[in-house]
Amino acid sequence: MEAMVRLIDEYGSGTYACVLDSYDYDHALSSLLPQIASMKLEKGGIIILRPDSGDPVDTVLKALAAADKVFGSSVNQKGFKVLKGCGVIQGDGIDQEIIKNIISAVLEAGFSAQNVTFGMGAALLQRVDRDTMSFATKLSYRLGMDGIHHSICKDPKTNPGKASLPGKFYVKLEPTHQLPCVYPQPDDSIEMDTENLLRVIYDKGPVDGAFDSFDTIRQRAYQQWEHSPPHFDPISSELKAKHEECRKLRTSS
């Protein structure tokens, strides 16, 4: 809720998009959207609702119905609803067939296709993307202006596989197989652990000498692969426990 309010406060007179599936997509549509409606209308801009996980057809239709209920719509000359000051963008899981399926469902539901835009990912090209290796970069931690530490993670109900890691991290060699493993770092920790394998490679620009050569990285990967068991979990039990704490805190709030 706080993030949506700050987004509208900063960009509400223009066009801006908001990811809604970070935790609970249905709750965001049914509860948060009505709460920010008056603020959004006062600013007068265009809010773009962005579902980012789950069934693409279902999530888009849910967003259109919720926006119509909160902001209303007009009917164009062809008899389809056009949302007032609102739209939907779907970028997750998009390919040519999914686009056709979404547009067909949107029209069948009585909404104009102009309400929906699409993100272009690798599925429209060679299907080699960040999901190939299940990799994405997410915000994990912030220090508020009030001095309070906030561990942040994404954990959408519609796709548990997109859960991200909360807080600050160390990457150390775990003792059994000597393979890299991620551990939580205390939020108020200032000194970096001497065993930490993480290095700063970009700080307002590339850091000189921070990047290893490709040959060095490849040799390191070969050496670690030789010692790797058939199934190895690089997330420590301590970090899993912290993630569960964040999940329980969010559920209870």
Side-chain angles (χ1 to χ4, degrees), residues 139-180:
L139 176 68
S140 65
Y141 167 85
R142 74 178 178 90
L143 176 61
M145 296 180 65
D146 53 5
I148 297 178
H149 301 270
H150 300 271
S151 293
I152 302 168
C153 69
K154 181 173 183 175
D155 192 14
K157 283 186 175 182
T158 46
N159 191 343
K162 285 191 173 184
S164 62
L165 303 177
K168 294 181 178 180
F169 316 119
Y170 284 131
V171 175
K172 301 180 184 180
L173 296 179
E174 53 83 41
T176 304
H177 302 285
Q178 290 296 295
L179 295 172

Side-chain angles (χ1 to χ4, degrees), residues 188-241:
D188 56 356
S189 174
I190 298 176
E191 296 296 329
M192 296 296 287
D193 191 300
T194 56
E195 295 180 287
N196 188 14
L197 300 177
L198 290 179
R199 291 180 295 172
V200 177
I201 61 173
Y202 194 94
D203 186 4
K204 302 181 181 68
V207 176
D208 291 339
F211 282 96
D212 288 333
S213 68
F214 180 76
D215 288 339
T216 299
I217 295 172
R218 180 165 55 184
Q219 184 60 35
R220 184 163 61 235
Y222 282 153
Q223 292 173 349
Q224 292 175 349
W225 183 264
E226 291 177 357
H227 297 91
S228 179
H231 301 284
F232 176 74
D233 191 345
I235 310 301
S236 66
S237 58
E238 295 92 335
L239 188 51
K240 289 180 180 178

Side-chain angles (χ1 to χ4, degrees), residues 56-106:
V57 175
D58 183 52
T59 54
V60 168
L61 292 180
K62 283 183 177 180
L64 292 173
D68 188 23
K69 182 177 180 180
V70 173
F71 302 117
S73 61
S74 58
V75 178
N76 64 17
Q77 293 180 348
K78 295 185 177 182
F80 294 100
K81 293 181 180 180
V82 178
L83 297 175
K84 295 181 178 179
C86 186
V88 180
I89 183 170
Q90 177 65 30
D92 183 65
I94 290 299
D95 60 24
Q96 292 181 350
E97 289 304 313
I98 292 297
I99 291 176
K100 293 177 183 178
N101 293 341
I102 291 174
I103 293 299
S104 296
V106 167

